[in-house]
Amino acid sequence: AFAFTKDELAALTPRDLDEYERQVMAHHSLSEDERNLLKKYRRQVRNRESAQNSRARKRQHALKLEEDLEAVNQQNKELQKK
């Protein structure tokens, strides 16, 4: 069986896992436990990427809201001058 440390797993990409699987498969077929472990690692990598994308979207949304708020505040100041 194979295992990755948390740091190694955090650095892996789906492409890395595919390459690792190809290397292992060149020497022997995967046992059911190894297939399940690889499946778990793939899920963890996908989830990590999904969480990163979600956080980035949230930051973008917050920035957009701040820009909109600034525009509305500026418009409000201009209307109060009249």
Side-chain angles (χ1 to χ4, degrees):
F2 49 86
F4 297 101
T5 65
K6 286 186 179 186
D7 290 338
E8 290 171 332
L9 188 57
L12 287 175
T13 66
R15 186 175 290 168
D16 295 334
L17 282 172
D18 291 342
E19 179 60 29
Y20 181 79
E21 182 179 16
R22 278 192 290 279
Q23 290 174 1
V24 170
M25 292 295 288
H27 300 290
H28 71 281
S29 61
L30 296 175
S31 69
E32 185 174 343
D33 287 342
E34 288 174 323
R35 282 193 304 272
N36 289 338
L37 194 55
L38 190 57
K39 191 178 194 181
K40 174 185 173 185
Y41 290 152
R42 285 184 197 284
R43 186 175 57 250
Q44 288 175 334
V45 169
R46 278 194 317 266
N47 287 348
R48 184 184 70 237
E49 288 180 345
S50 179
Q52 288 171 343
N53 291 338
S54 178
R55 287 189 293 272
R57 283 191 309 272
K58 186 176 180 179
R59 278 192 300 273
Q60 285 300 112
H61 183 66
L63 288 173
K64 174 76 168 94
L65 289 176
E66 288 174 6
E67 291 171 2
D68 291 349
L69 178 61
E70 183 60 33
V72 168
N73 284 338
Q74 184 63 33
Q75 184 180 21
N76 193 17
K77 285 179 186 178
E78 290 174 11
L79 289 173
Q80 287 178 355
K81 289 179 183 178
K82 293 182 179 182

